[in-house]
Amino acid sequence: GQQLNQSPQSMFIQEGEDVSMNCTSSSIFNTWLWYKQDPGEGPVLLIALYKAGELTSNGRLTAQFGITRKDSFLNISASIPSDVGIYFCAYLNYGGSQGNLIFGKGTKLSVKP
Amino acid sequence: EADIYQTPRYLVIGTGKKITLECSQTMGHDKMYWYQQDPGMELHLIHYSYGVNSTEKGDLSSESTVSRIRTEHFPLTLESARPSHTSQYLCASSATGALYGYTFGSGTRLTVV
């Protein structure tokens, strides 16, 4: 089936740094979603993107839907300790007339020791 | 307040016991899902349901079973727990089409000893 390539797999941040992660696919999609999962909790929706080229912000988070519709990136500016967690990208699969989300493998954000 | 609830949050149980993980949502969503996730790892879809009396197996084979007798309730059952079942189990729901993504519960951390 279709898969997402999410990178990096993990990264360490120092408070105040900007962070960037992305997802790519060989297929084109109409919807990209970004989720964050805090330790011990379920994922929470951060940003949803519905149009190619769309750039959307949510506080210090900015996400863009790639113009080719095959990729998306998420930026976090001026990171803070509570940004640690796992970030998942997801696309909406319309196969079989039912919308199902396909998730990437996640980018794990940790604080630099 | 519309939400999705999972109980228990944590469960430690002996090998061979039967367990049921509860999931309820108050949003009137037709679609519900169960994911299995090892710590810090990707999400694996194990069951989903498109509505009452509808259940399907997900991408990852699981020895668990589910039922959907009421729209708001989607319990997961393990007839005989084993240490290999130790994991985090996440429940989610969405409206038909899932255009606005899934809403996840906080998860059940299961440990089988």
Side-chain angles (χ1 to χ4, degrees):
Chain A
Q2 295 158 334
Q3 288 188 329
L4 294 181
N5 296 313
Q6 186 170 354
S7 65
Q9 186 175 9
S10 63
M11 58 194 310
F12 290 88
I13 59 171
Q14 199 147 32
E15 189 170 352
E17 286 181 340
D18 294 342
V19 173
S20 184
M21 61 192 77
N22 68 84
C23 277
T24 60
S25 175
S26 57
S27 302
I28 61 173
F29 301 111
N30 295 316
T31 302
W32 283 97
L33 304 169
W34 284 93
Y35 283 82
K36 184 199 177 191
Q37 184 179 25
D38 288 325
E41 297 292 331
V44 174
L45 182 65
L46 296 174
I47 291 177
L49 302 162
Y50 299 106
K51 287 193 326 186
E54 181 179 355
L55 185 71
T56 298
S57 294
N58 178 3
R60 293 177 297 103
L61 276 60
T62 302
Q64 184 159 27
F65 192 150
I67 197 70
T68 64
R69 292 166 60 195
K70 293 183 179 181
D71 59 357
S72 177
F73 71 76
L74 175 70
N75 286 344
I76 306 172
S77 63
S79 58
I80 59 178
S82 61
D83 288 334
V84 300
I86 305 174
Y87 292 79
F88 292 99
C89 63
Y91 69 82
L92 190 58
N93 179 16
Y94 287 102
S97 78
Q98 294 279 1
N100 286 328
L101 289 187
I102 306 298
F103 288 89
K105 294 185 178 182
T107 293
K108 186 175 182 180
L109 230 58
S110 305
V111 176
K112 273 183 188 170
Chain B
E1 180 180 324
D3 213 332
I4 183 163
Y5 307 95
Q6 288 187 245
T7 57
R9 283 297 308 271
Y10 303 94
L11 179 62
V12 181
I13 202 161
T15 298
K17 299 291 186 183
K18 177 180 179 179
I19 58 169
T20 296
L21 308 185
E22 301 289 346
C23 178
S24 295
Q25 51 96 5
T26 59
M27 296 169 280
H29 285 166
D30 290 327
K31 300 174 71 175
M32 297 189 74
Y33 313 83
W34 277 102
Y35 285 84
Q36 184 174 342
Q37 181 187 36
D38 290 325
M41 302 296 285
E42 61 187 292
L43 301 165
H44 293 287
L45 180 67
I46 53 174
H47 298 283
Y48 61 98
S49 166
Y50 290 148
V52 171
N53 294 325
S54 151
T55 60
E56 301 285 346
K57 290 193 179 294
D59 305 319
L60 182 69
S61 176
S62 174
E63 293 168 340
S64 58
T65 59
V66 293
S67 61
R68 190 89 182 276
I69 298 172
R70 303 198 314 266
T71 298
E72 63 271 21
H73 195 214
F74 192 39
L76 180 146
T77 298
L78 275 166
E79 291 292 333
S80 180
R82 295 208 303 261
S84 61
H85 297 140
T86 294
S87 190
Q88 166 139 294
Y89 293 84
L90 290 161
C91 181
S93 71
S94 75
T96 300
L99 195 58
Y100 303 106
Y102 297 173
T103 302
F104 282 86
S106 295
T108 293
R109 165 67 63 194
L110 173 66
T111 303
V112 184
V113 297

